[in-house]
Amino acid sequence: MARTVRHPRSRSHAVAHHNRQVAWVTGALLLVVSLYTVTIGPDGWLWLGWAVLLLVCVGLFLVRP
């Protein structure tokens, strides 16, 4: 049976890396939706953008590294 080789990075480093990824994705999505709001103005697509942003953020925090 083949033995799985794990990455030498510790769990705390993996968690920190995951948290940084979550922060970057959240910030990027927040920037995109905010820029859309400023340039286009509020409409139905804006609410969809905020809903997607919220769902992605919740999903990222629920996923464990």
XYZ file of all heavy atoms in Angstrom:
514
model
N 0.845 -1.177 0.000
C 0.000 0.000 0.000
C 0.890 1.240 0.000
O 1.838 1.332 0.772
C -0.883 -0.027 1.247
C -1.932 1.009 1.255
S -3.136 0.507 2.504
C -3.788 2.023 2.943
N 0.565 2.187 -0.845
C 1.382 3.391 -0.959
C 1.158 4.289 0.248
O 0.047 4.454 0.733
C 1.032 4.144 -2.230
N 2.226 4.851 0.716
C 2.160 5.755 1.860
C 2.006 7.189 1.358
O 2.702 7.620 0.451
C 3.445 5.622 2.675
C 3.429 6.438 3.912
C 4.664 6.189 4.713
N 4.758 7.239 5.724
C 5.763 7.388 6.522
N 6.775 6.569 6.448
N 5.769 8.353 7.401
N 1.081 7.918 1.970
C 0.845 9.303 1.590
C 1.912 10.184 2.222
O 2.140 10.117 3.422
C -0.544 9.757 2.071
O -1.514 8.884 1.524
C -0.816 11.168 1.626
N 2.542 11.004 1.399
C 3.555 11.930 1.896
C 2.881 13.262 2.148
O 2.304 13.855 1.244
C 4.712 12.090 0.888
C 5.722 13.089 1.386
C 5.346 10.749 0.608
N 2.929 13.699 3.367
C 2.299 14.974 3.727
C 3.310 16.104 3.577
O 4.504 15.915 3.743
C 1.780 14.918 5.154
C 0.670 13.876 5.297
C -0.020 13.997 6.604
N -0.665 15.286 6.743
C -1.959 15.498 6.532
N -2.729 14.532 6.155
N -2.466 16.694 6.713
N 2.793 17.245 3.284
C 3.624 18.441 3.176
C 4.213 18.742 4.549
O 3.522 18.616 5.565
C 2.767 19.607 2.683
C 3.576 20.772 2.219
N 4.074 21.702 3.078
C 3.984 21.135 0.990
C 4.747 22.607 2.397
N 4.700 22.282 1.127
N 5.463 19.168 4.617
C 6.099 19.398 5.928
C 5.537 20.593 6.700
O 5.888 20.789 7.851
C 7.564 19.628 5.574
C 7.559 20.076 4.158
C 6.377 19.391 3.519
N 4.671 21.366 6.088
C 4.127 22.542 6.746
C 3.217 22.102 7.910
O 2.424 21.186 7.787
C 3.333 23.362 5.737
C 2.753 24.622 6.292
C 2.190 25.503 5.225
N 1.344 24.766 4.289
C 0.769 25.318 3.244
N 0.964 26.571 2.970
N 0.013 24.622 2.435
N 3.321 22.767 9.018
C 2.517 22.402 10.181
C 1.071 22.868 10.005
O 0.752 23.667 9.137
C 3.103 23.019 11.445
O 2.924 24.413 11.433
N 0.196 22.365 10.872
C -1.226 22.721 10.789
C -1.430 24.212 11.013
O -2.260 24.834 10.355
C -2.012 21.924 11.821
C -3.467 22.321 11.874
C -4.368 21.142 12.081
N -5.746 21.517 12.264
C -6.581 21.782 11.272
N -6.162 21.705 10.030
N -7.827 22.093 11.516
N -0.677 24.807 11.938
C -0.866 26.241 12.193
C -0.491 27.073 10.969
O -1.137 28.091 10.693
C -0.050 26.679 13.409
O 1.332 26.521 13.174
N 0.528 26.643 10.230
C 0.887 27.354 9.004
C -0.195 27.183 7.947
O -0.506 28.123 7.205
C 2.226 26.864 8.458
C 3.397 27.365 9.237
N 4.102 26.564 10.096
C 3.966 28.588 9.307
C 5.063 27.268 10.665
N 4.996 28.516 10.207
N -0.781 25.989 7.882
C -1.846 25.747 6.909
C -3.068 26.612 7.226
O -3.691 27.177 6.326
C -2.229 24.266 6.911
N -3.393 26.731 8.500
C -4.534 27.558 8.909
C -4.257 29.023 8.604
O -5.118 29.744 8.102
C -4.853 27.337 10.402
C -5.855 28.351 10.900
C -5.372 25.925 10.634
N -3.055 29.477 8.894
C -2.693 30.866 8.618
C -2.755 31.151 7.115
O -3.238 32.209 6.687
C -1.305 31.176 9.156
N -2.281 30.201 6.316
C -2.327 30.358 4.862
C -3.770 30.425 4.381
O -4.127 31.271 3.547
C -1.593 29.188 4.202
C -1.579 29.241 2.715
N -0.871 30.187 2.007
C -2.204 28.482 1.788
C -1.055 30.002 0.720
N -1.868 28.967 0.561
N -4.615 29.560 4.900
C -6.033 29.561 4.540
C -6.693 30.889 4.913
O -7.452 31.455 4.125
C -6.748 28.402 5.236
C -8.225 28.394 5.033
N -8.808 28.012 3.850
C -9.240 28.729 5.860
C -10.115 28.121 3.961
N -10.407 28.550 5.166
N -6.386 31.391 6.100
C -6.968 32.658 6.547
C -6.538 33.815 5.657
O -7.323 34.716 5.380
C -6.597 32.930 8.003
C -7.298 31.992 8.953
O -8.281 31.344 8.595
N -6.790 31.890 10.165
N -5.283 33.799 5.212
C -4.817 34.841 4.286
C -5.561 34.752 2.959
O -5.951 35.765 2.377
C -3.308 34.727 4.054
C -2.482 35.325 5.170
C -1.022 35.461 4.785
N -0.393 34.200 4.406
C 0.141 33.329 5.254
N 0.136 33.585 6.544
N 0.689 32.222 4.817
N -5.772 33.533 2.473
C -6.516 33.365 1.229
C -7.943 33.877 1.371
O -8.459 34.550 0.477
C -6.543 31.890 0.820
C -5.234 31.391 0.290
C -5.294 29.917 -0.058
O -6.007 29.149 0.578
N -4.531 29.531 -1.060
N -8.579 33.549 2.481
C -9.948 34.016 2.730
C -9.982 35.536 2.757
O -10.865 36.160 2.174
C -10.492 33.421 4.050
C -11.786 34.102 4.470
C -10.710 31.928 3.906
N -9.011 36.150 3.416
C -8.971 37.609 3.507
C -8.793 38.240 2.128
O -9.464 39.236 1.803
C -7.846 38.046 4.442
N -7.913 37.689 1.286
C -7.688 38.234 -0.047
C -8.915 38.089 -0.926
O -9.306 39.035 -1.632
C -6.479 37.583 -0.725
C -5.188 38.170 -0.272
C -4.270 37.603 0.561
C -4.667 39.461 -0.606
N -3.224 38.457 0.760
C -3.429 39.598 0.057
C -5.130 40.498 -1.394
C -2.658 40.753 -0.059
C -4.353 41.653 -1.506
C -3.133 41.764 -0.844
N -9.535 36.922 -0.911
C -10.731 36.707 -1.738
C -11.861 37.618 -1.280
O -12.553 38.241 -2.092
C -11.151 35.221 -1.708
C -12.518 35.022 -2.338
C -10.112 34.372 -2.416
N -12.045 37.715 0.032
C -13.092 38.580 0.574
C -12.843 40.033 0.183
O -13.750 40.739 -0.260
C -13.157 38.455 2.105
O -13.380 37.088 2.449
C -14.257 39.316 2.687
N -11.616 40.496 0.340
C -11.276 41.874 -0.025
C -11.465 42.147 -1.506
O -11.990 43.200 -1.890
N -11.069 41.204 -2.349
C -11.216 41.381 -3.794
C -12.686 41.448 -4.181
O -13.094 42.308 -4.974
C -10.519 40.247 -4.537
N -13.494 40.550 -3.627
C -14.925 40.579 -3.935
C -15.585 41.851 -3.416
O -16.442 42.432 -4.089
C -15.614 39.342 -3.362
C -15.287 38.030 -4.063
C -15.876 36.857 -3.291
C -15.795 38.045 -5.479
N -15.202 42.284 -2.235
C -15.751 43.517 -1.685
C -15.393 44.704 -2.575
O -16.236 45.568 -2.844
C -15.234 43.732 -0.266
C -15.732 44.968 0.469
C -17.247 44.923 0.600
C -15.093 45.062 1.838
N -14.169 44.741 -3.059
C -13.743 45.813 -3.956
C -14.533 45.794 -5.261
O -14.996 46.841 -5.731
C -12.242 45.680 -4.247
C -11.643 46.733 -5.180
C -11.730 48.116 -4.538
C -10.208 46.383 -5.509
N -14.723 44.613 -5.840
C -15.453 44.507 -7.102
C -16.897 44.973 -6.935
O -17.405 45.774 -7.744
C -15.409 43.052 -7.627
C -16.414 42.829 -8.743
C -14.014 42.700 -8.101
N -17.576 44.505 -5.899
C -18.974 44.898 -5.694
C -19.070 46.387 -5.372
O -19.974 47.071 -5.844
C -19.616 44.024 -4.598
C -21.011 44.510 -4.270
C -19.668 42.576 -5.040
N -18.122 46.908 -4.597
C -18.142 48.341 -4.272
C -17.906 49.199 -5.511
O -18.594 50.205 -5.714
C -17.085 48.651 -3.211
O -17.383 47.977 -2.022
N -16.942 48.809 -6.346
C -16.697 49.553 -7.581
C -17.902 49.492 -8.510
O -18.244 50.486 -9.159
C -15.450 49.021 -8.291
C -14.123 49.337 -7.619
C -12.975 48.639 -8.333
C -13.892 50.839 -7.580
N -18.551 48.351 -8.566
C -19.758 48.228 -9.375
C -20.843 49.179 -8.864
O -21.517 49.842 -9.648
C -20.262 46.786 -9.346
C -21.529 46.580 -10.139
C -21.476 46.406 -11.513
C -22.771 46.582 -9.520
C -22.636 46.226 -12.254
C -23.931 46.411 -10.252
C -23.859 46.229 -11.614
O -25.003 46.070 -12.335
N -20.974 49.252 -7.553
C -21.971 50.131 -6.958
C -21.693 51.588 -7.318
O -22.604 52.339 -7.660
C -21.968 49.978 -5.425
O -22.206 48.622 -5.093
C -23.026 50.835 -4.771
N -20.437 51.992 -7.262
C -20.074 53.383 -7.543
C -20.255 53.707 -9.021
O -20.774 54.768 -9.365
C -18.613 53.642 -7.103
C -18.120 54.982 -7.610
C -18.503 53.565 -5.587
N -19.853 52.801 -9.909
C -19.885 53.120 -11.342
C -21.263 52.942 -11.977
O -21.677 53.759 -12.786
C -18.872 52.260 -12.121
O -19.162 50.887 -11.895
C -17.461 52.572 -11.703
N -21.972 51.906 -11.614
C -23.244 51.603 -12.265
C -24.433 52.153 -11.486
O -25.419 52.588 -12.054
C -23.409 50.075 -12.449
C -22.236 49.489 -13.212
C -24.721 49.728 -13.133
C -22.055 50.037 -14.611
N -24.327 52.103 -10.171
C -25.452 52.527 -9.343
C -26.222 51.319 -8.852
O -26.089 50.222 -9.371
N -27.043 51.528 -7.846
C -27.761 50.397 -7.254
C -28.877 49.885 -8.178
O -29.622 50.669 -8.753
C -28.341 50.973 -5.966
C -28.443 52.436 -6.208
C -27.319 52.780 -7.126
N -28.939 48.583 -8.318
C -30.019 47.929 -9.054
C -30.094 46.474 -8.596
O -29.460 46.092 -7.612
C -29.816 48.042 -10.571
C -28.558 47.366 -11.049
O -27.853 46.740 -10.247
O -28.279 47.455 -12.257
N -30.834 45.657 -9.306
C -30.995 44.259 -8.927
C -29.704 43.469 -8.945
O -29.475 42.590 -8.118
N -28.817 43.794 -9.900
C -27.537 43.073 -9.981
C -26.660 43.370 -8.778
O -25.849 42.544 -8.369
C -26.814 43.426 -11.274
C -27.454 42.806 -12.468
C -28.183 43.448 -13.419
C -27.447 41.428 -12.824
N -28.627 42.551 -14.345
C -28.197 41.308 -14.011
C -26.887 40.291 -12.265
C -28.391 40.078 -14.639
C -27.088 39.068 -12.888
C -27.824 38.972 -14.058
N -26.804 44.558 -8.225
C -26.031 44.908 -7.039
C -26.376 43.974 -5.882
O -25.497 43.479 -5.188
C -26.300 46.360 -6.643
C -25.676 46.804 -5.319
C -24.156 46.781 -5.435
C -26.163 48.178 -4.959
N -27.667 43.736 -5.680
C -28.075 42.847 -4.589
C -27.588 41.433 -4.831
O -27.194 40.731 -3.898
C -29.594 42.886 -4.412
C -30.023 44.239 -3.954
C -30.718 45.154 -4.667
C -29.725 44.848 -2.694
N -30.887 46.301 -3.927
C -30.289 46.144 -2.711
C -29.035 44.437 -1.546
C -30.192 47.011 -1.628
C -28.939 45.303 -0.481
C -29.503 46.566 -0.523
N -27.577 41.000 -6.081
C -27.030 39.686 -6.403
C -25.539 39.639 -6.070
O -25.049 38.658 -5.508
C -27.249 39.355 -7.881
C -26.626 38.033 -8.342
C -27.306 36.853 -7.663
C -26.704 37.917 -9.850
N -24.823 40.706 -6.395
C -23.390 40.768 -6.084
C -23.126 40.676 -4.593
O -22.221 39.963 -4.154
N -23.896 41.394 -3.796
C -23.717 41.328 -2.345
C -24.074 39.943 -1.808
O -23.419 39.435 -0.895
C -24.548 42.405 -1.649
C -23.939 43.760 -1.766
C -24.433 44.801 -2.483
C -22.716 44.225 -1.181
N -23.586 45.888 -2.379
C -22.535 45.564 -1.588
C -21.755 43.639 -0.375
C -21.431 46.317 -1.196
C -20.647 44.399 0.016
C -20.505 45.716 -0.392
N -25.108 39.321 -2.377
C -25.496 37.978 -1.938
C -24.396 36.965 -2.263
O -24.061 36.109 -1.434
C -26.811 37.571 -2.599
N -23.823 37.070 -3.462
C -22.720 36.177 -3.842
C -21.517 36.405 -2.928
O -20.878 35.458 -2.467
C -22.340 36.382 -5.325
C -21.038 35.682 -5.666
C -23.468 35.894 -6.220
N -21.206 37.661 -2.650
C -20.097 37.981 -1.750
C -20.314 37.344 -0.382
O -19.409 36.720 0.176
C -19.957 39.494 -1.607
C -18.906 39.991 -0.610
C -17.517 39.591 -1.063
C -19.002 41.497 -0.462
N -21.500 37.469 0.148
C -21.805 36.892 1.454
C -21.684 35.375 1.429
O -21.063 34.778 2.324
C -23.211 37.307 1.885
C -23.709 36.700 3.196
C -22.853 37.181 4.360
C -25.158 37.030 3.415
N -22.234 34.732 0.410
C -22.182 33.272 0.328
C -20.757 32.760 0.159
O -20.376 31.749 0.758
C -23.059 32.784 -0.827
C -24.562 32.931 -0.612
C -25.307 32.548 -1.877
C -25.017 32.100 0.569
N -19.949 33.442 -0.645
C -18.557 33.028 -0.824
C -17.780 33.167 0.479
O -17.008 32.279 0.852
C -17.882 33.836 -1.956
C -16.377 33.631 -1.971
C -18.477 33.442 -3.297
N -17.982 34.257 1.191
C -17.285 34.471 2.462
C -17.678 33.415 3.483
O -16.814 32.843 4.167
C -17.568 35.865 3.016
S -16.844 37.164 2.028
N -18.965 33.123 3.587
C -19.410 32.092 4.523
C -18.833 30.736 4.128
O -18.345 29.984 4.961
C -20.960 32.038 4.577
C -21.457 30.805 5.297
C -21.497 33.295 5.237
N -18.853 30.434 2.839
C -18.300 29.169 2.362
C -16.824 29.041 2.646
O -16.340 27.969 3.039
N -16.062 30.109 2.458
C -14.632 30.057 2.726
C -14.327 29.838 4.202
O -13.377 29.145 4.549
C -13.959 31.347 2.239
C -13.817 31.479 0.741
C -13.306 32.874 0.379
C -12.881 30.435 0.188
N -15.124 30.430 5.072
C -14.879 30.233 6.489
C -15.312 28.856 6.972
O -14.803 28.364 7.965
C -15.567 31.336 7.321
C -14.790 32.613 7.336
C -15.219 33.705 6.602
C -13.618 32.720 8.059
C -14.492 34.890 6.594
C -12.888 33.894 8.064
C -13.321 34.984 7.330
N -16.260 28.226 6.261
C -16.700 26.894 6.647
C -15.722 25.805 6.205
O -15.657 24.744 6.812
C -18.080 26.606 6.081
C -19.223 27.404 6.689
C -20.534 27.080 5.990
C -19.354 27.137 8.190
N -14.970 26.067 5.144
C -14.005 25.090 4.648
C -12.777 25.118 5.552
O -12.209 26.167 5.802
C -13.611 25.418 3.194
C -12.492 24.515 2.718
C -14.803 25.321 2.290
N -12.401 23.966 6.000
C -11.220 23.866 6.877
C -10.020 23.390 6.071
O -10.157 22.519 5.211
C -11.472 22.874 8.005
C -12.630 23.247 8.887
C -12.251 24.396 9.774
N -13.381 24.766 10.596
C -13.522 25.933 11.156
N -12.606 26.854 10.955
N -14.547 26.207 11.898
N -8.842 23.930 6.342
C -7.643 23.476 5.606
C -7.238 22.072 6.030
O -7.535 21.604 7.068
C -6.575 24.494 5.987
C -7.044 25.153 7.227
C -8.538 24.997 7.265
